[in-house]
């Protein structure tokens, strides 16, 4: 049995709960028993020595974390999880919190596995990253999986890990890592496209593709965190503090007080973006916002770049991500493409990691303690 406790269940955590509940009703469960035993948010928590029932999980917001639930105490929650004797236990951090990411070493030290889409521990302070690596390096466990930190459910980190472990040399990793920026430039910069840049941003915001303040997408820091994670997994000394990042928010709009004011004033800069687009199209290219990991010369970056119309990045549609690995063995890049955002696909990435842990460390239904 692999016991699962979810920290910060929201949209992604809710989708994960649905997928685990469906798994429990499938024939796969007999071979890979995985069950939710704990949930905690900023206010309330619920924890059990046995799996929550299907009925509890179906209405978890009220049945498990409703007003009558126990007050949240993350320290006690982790300590209690570490004491579960039936099978292995994994904590899934579905927050984006720096403070919670900083707890991973203490969880690992207690024998708890960690699975997360939270980028902070893997793109922040290098000492934390190294400590997590050290504590999760034993083949006997515990371990950390974070596939969903880059590309949601796309097999990006698992592919990179396979390349590194088999001794391939990473020449470069290049990709469109932001679903928001993918959508914006796929619609704004394409032959025959007529929408103004501010209109593209407005539509993306209305459809829920952007953060509440689109500047949090346009400043490039989310892409920078993903590039940092990829670089570190590839063995590079890299951090967001030293990575060149092109912030495409117009400088005079970076400090305006509200997202609403930013959106009202963004049309003032439509001509700037249109000029960049015209120059690209006249050269037979399109604009794409990309992250670049340089495995040879230390020139990693995040920037707005041009790509010829016959390049795979130029033909991308919707809000898809695309990542190209160029290595000694793959001089013609190995390309991964697909949905890189959304609750269901992010939950899929987390669930895939949990299955890996269950296969490696889960004791199965035959465990006499269960």
């Amino acid at each position: 049995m692999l016991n699962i406790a979810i920290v910060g269940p929201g949209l992604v955590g809710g989708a994960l709960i649905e997928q685990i509940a469906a798994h429990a009703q499938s024939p796969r469960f007999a071979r890979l028993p995985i069950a939710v035993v704990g949930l905690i948010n900023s206010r309330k928590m619920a924890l059990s020595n046995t799996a929550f029932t299907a009925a509890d999980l179906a209405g978890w917001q009220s049945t498990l974390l409703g007003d009558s639930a126990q007050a949240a105490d993350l320290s006690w929650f982790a300590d209690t999880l570490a004491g579960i004797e039936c099978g292995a236990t994994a904590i899934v951090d579905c927050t984006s919190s720096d403070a919670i990411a900083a707890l991973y070493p203490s969880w690992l030290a207690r024998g708890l596995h960690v699975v997360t889409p939270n980028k902070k521990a893997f793109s922040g302070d290098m000492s934390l990253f190294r400590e997590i690596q050290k504590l999760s390096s034993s083949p006997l466990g515990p371990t950390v999986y974070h596939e969903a930190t880059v590309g949601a459910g796309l097999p990006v980190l698992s592919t990179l890990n396979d390349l590194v472990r088999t001794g391939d040399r990473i020449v470069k990793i290049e990709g469109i890592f932001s679903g928001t920026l993918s959508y914006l430039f796929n619609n704004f910069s394409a032959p025959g496209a007529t929408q103004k840049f501010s209109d593209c941003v407005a539509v993306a915001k209305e459809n829920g593709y952007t953060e509440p303040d689109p500047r949090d997408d346009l400043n490039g820091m989310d892409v920078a965190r993903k590039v940092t994670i990829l670089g570190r997994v590839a063995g590079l000394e890299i951090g967001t503090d030293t990575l060149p990042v092109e912030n495409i928010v117009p400088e005079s709009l970076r400090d305006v007080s509200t997202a609403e004011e930013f959106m009202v004033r963004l049309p003032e800069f439509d001509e700037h973006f249109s000029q960049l687009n015209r120059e690209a199209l006249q050269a037979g290219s399109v604009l794409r916002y990309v992250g670049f990991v340089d495995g040879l010369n230390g020139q990693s970056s995040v920037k707005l770049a041009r790509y010829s119309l016959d390049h795979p990045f130029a033909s991308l549609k919707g809000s898809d991500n695309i990542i190209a690995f160029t290595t000694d063995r793959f001089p013609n890049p190995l390309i991964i493409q697909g949905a890189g955002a959304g609750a269901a696909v992010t939950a899929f990435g987390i669930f895939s990691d949990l299955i890996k842990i269950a296969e490696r460390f889960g004791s199965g239904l035959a465990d006499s303690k269960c």
Side-chain angles (χ1 to χ4, degrees):
M1 175 71 74
L2 177 64
N3 306 296
I4 307 300
I6 302 173
V7 179
L11 287 176
V12 171
L16 177 62
I17 289 169
E18 290 179 4
Q19 292 178 20
I20 293 174
H23 173 78
Q25 302 302 315
S26 77
R28 301 185 302 276
F29 185 81
R31 185 175 66 86
L32 287 172
I34 299 172
V36 180
V37 300
L39 298 175
I40 184 169
N41 60 24
S42 60
R43 299 185 309 107
K44 299 288 186 177
M45 66 180 178
L47 190 57
S48 173
N49 288 324
T50 58
F52 292 137
T53 67
D56 284 338
L57 293 178
W60 60 269
Q61 296 96 327
S62 56
T63 58
L64 296 174
L65 295 181
D67 291 339
S68 61
Q70 187 175 349
D73 182 336
L74 186 54
S75 179
W76 180 89
F77 187 80
D79 287 342
T80 305
L81 288 170
I84 295 178
E85 295 182 348
C86 175
T89 302
I91 296 186
V92 178
D93 173 20
C94 286
T95 75
S96 59
S97 165
D98 288 286
I100 291 178
L103 296 174
Y104 296 174
S106 67
W107 294 347
L108 292 165
R110 293 184 179 98
L112 298 167
H113 303 282
V114 177
V115 175
T116 184
N118 185 349
K119 305 175 189 66
K120 300 302 176 58
F122 313 99
S123 62
D125 187 84
M126 182 63 83
S127 63
L128 175 60
F129 177 78
R130 286 176 174 156
E131 186 177 10
I132 290 169
Q133 277 192 314
K134 180 180 179 181
L135 289 169
S136 60
S137 61
S138 171
L140 301 178
T143 190
V144 174
Y145 284 96
H146 57 103
E147 182 71 77
T149 57
V150 180
L154 297 179
V156 177
L157 292 183
S158 55
T159 298
L160 177 57
N161 274 311
D162 287 344
L163 292 169
V164 171
R165 283 197 296 257
T166 58
D168 201 356
R169 185 177 67 152
I170 307 298
V171 176
K172 66 178 179 178
I173 307 167
E174 193 172 12
I176 297 172
F177 297 103
S178 164
T180 302
L181 294 168
S182 176
Y183 175 86
L184 287 177
F185 285 100
N186 292 343
N187 285 276
F188 173 68
S189 186
T194 58
Q195 254 189 329
K196 296 177 180 178
F197 186 75
S198 62
D199 290 337
C200 289
V201 175
V203 171
K205 187 174 189 297
E206 183 178 338
N207 290 337
Y209 291 135
T210 73
E211 294 293 331
D213 188 334
R215 287 175 293 183
D216 292 335
D217 297 294
L218 299 174
N219 66 15
M221 286 309 299
D222 181 63
V223 177
R225 283 188 282 269
K226 294 174 182 177
V227 167
T228 296
I229 293 168
L230 287 165
R232 289 180 177 180
V233 172
L236 302 179
E237 294 281 336
I238 187 173
T240 56
D241 54 340
T242 58
L243 186 69
V245 179
E246 182 175 357
N247 183 348
I248 61 171
V249 177
E251 192 166 352
S252 62
L253 300 186
R254 293 175 189 176
D255 295 325
V256 298
S257 58
T258 66
E260 290 71 23
E261 183 181 356
F262 167 74
M263 292 301 298
V264 167
R265 293 190 54 193
L266 186 58
E268 299 171 18
F269 299 88
D270 278 336
E271 180 54 31
H272 162 72
F273 288 103
S274 293
Q275 179 63 27
L276 294 175
N277 196 31
R278 282 194 299 270
E279 291 172 357
L281 292 171
Q282 287 167 4
S285 303
V286 293
L287 298 173
R288 296 293 182 262
Y289 196 87
V290 297
F292 180 75
V293 177
D294 184 350
L296 300 183
N297 303 307
Q299 299 299 311
S300 301
S301 62
V302 176
K303 61 186 177 181
L304 188 63
R306 294 182 186 181
Y307 288 89
S308 62
L309 295 176
D310 60 354
H311 193 282
F313 289 11
S315 58
L316 203 60
K317 303 297 182 184
S319 58
D320 276 2
N321 285 185
I322 185 169
I323 299 92
F325 296 90
T326 302
T327 73
D328 282 351
R329 294 177 190 148
F330 291 92
N332 293 322
L334 186 164
I335 293 178
I336 297 171
Q337 178 180 341
V345 292
T346 303
F348 158 76
I350 297 168
F351 195 17
S352 298
D353 283 345
L354 291 170
I355 287 174
K356 292 181 178 74
I357 294 175
E359 289 174 333
R360 289 180 61 188
F361 303 104
S363 58
L365 291 177
D367 190 319
S368 59
K369 294 179 181 178
C370 298

